[in-house]
Amino acid sequence: MGVRKQTLELATNKPLASLALHALMGSCLKSVMVVVNPEDPLDWLRADEGGASGVVVSSKASSIYVEACTDASHGMGHSIRHGLRALMSIEAELDAVVVALADQPFITSCMINELIYYWLEKPQLDYVATAVHDARDGAVVLMPPAILSSSMFEDLLQLEGEAGARKWFGSPRFKGYGLLAVDGAALIDVDTPEDYEHAKNHFLNSLPK
């Protein structure tokens, strides 16, 4: 993109990353760990959510933390690893984590809760990911947001580079399930200027008339 995506506005005072964060904040998650680049000024965080490293207030989640990952520029794997380590040091008993991406502005609290509820009913699963049908061939694709059980933590702590948890979706090493997204538009992600324009149009069209 050439710019820090988190600050891109879908509308006035609606920075991209804040929308995904609000979905997490409104879910039944106990804690939310926001992993950022050390150079991120955090100006995309709303004033009532804080903006400095540490605990962020005003949320249904009991605690929200902001963690700077010095290796963030080396790929998503480093950020996931860093965030998990930080969360494990704070939460004594961590059964699972939900991994979500800042550039998916249209995920909802309901989507997050559905993943959690499904896993709670089937705790033998190592993960429950969001599933969509590939527009090209109709194949089922698994992606974040996804809930990952503690049975995957050892592998998550070994992540490096751009590799995320998706590398294990479908692997015989782990047992998982893909929960089909009712609204495919909720999984729009912003990786290119064209994606950004598409996201802005979708956001404006979704506003109450």
Side-chain angles (χ1 to χ4, degrees):
M1 292 289 291
V3 296
R4 204 173 292 284
K5 290 192 289 186
Q6 294 91 325
T7 61
L8 294 175
E9 292 193 341
L10 299 186
T12 304
N13 295 323
K14 295 293 183 181
L16 185 150
S18 71
L19 300 184
L21 178 57
H22 276 210
L24 297 170
M25 290 168 59
S27 74
C28 62
L29 288 169
K30 181 181 178 182
S31 302
V32 175
M33 176 66 68
V34 184
V35 183
V36 299
N37 189 296
E39 298 178 1
D40 192 331
L42 302 180
D43 51 358
W44 54 273
L45 286 174
R46 293 184 179 279
D48 63 346
E49 291 163 8
S53 295
V55 180
V56 183
V57 298
S58 300
S59 170
K60 290 183 180 179
S62 62
S63 303
I64 297 187
Y65 307 93
V66 178
E67 272 283 330
C69 174
T70 56
D71 295 326
S73 61
H74 296 302
M76 184 191 308
H78 294 271
S79 294
I80 293 175
R81 184 178 67 187
H82 182 92
L84 179 58
R85 281 178 176 164
L87 198 55
M88 291 175 71
S89 70
I90 296 167
E91 299 289 347
E93 296 181 6
L94 197 59
D95 297 322
V97 293
V98 169
V99 174
L101 307 180
D103 62 358
Q104 288 183 318
F106 304 119
I107 62 172
T108 65
S109 299
C110 183
M111 290 174 64
I112 302 300
N113 288 341
E114 287 178 346
L115 291 168
I116 295 171
Y117 296 151
Y118 192 91
W119 179 77
L120 287 173
E121 292 177 354
K122 301 180 184 297
Q124 71 274 17
L125 295 177
D126 297 302
Y127 66 85
V128 180
T130 302
V132 292
H133 290 288
D134 191 306
R136 296 166 297 182
D137 56 15
V140 175
V141 179
L142 303 183
M143 63 175 59
I147 183 167
L148 311 174
S149 169
S150 58
S151 59
M152 299 186 71
F153 286 2
E154 183 177 348
D155 290 87
L156 291 173
L157 292 173
Q158 303 302 317
L159 284 174
E160 292 184 347
E162 291 296 338
R166 290 180 65 176
K167 64 183 289 185
W168 293 304
F169 296 164
S171 166
R173 290 184 57 206
F174 297 108
K175 185 177 181 181
Y177 183 79
L179 202 59
L180 192 63
V182 176
D183 180 12
L187 297 173
I188 292 173
D189 62 358
V190 179
D191 292 324
T192 66
E194 292 76 20
D195 293 338
Y196 176 44
E197 291 302 318
H198 178 48
K200 285 197 295 184
N201 290 333
H202 179 77
F203 181 78
L204 294 175
N205 290 334
S206 66
L207 294 176
K209 304 300 182 183

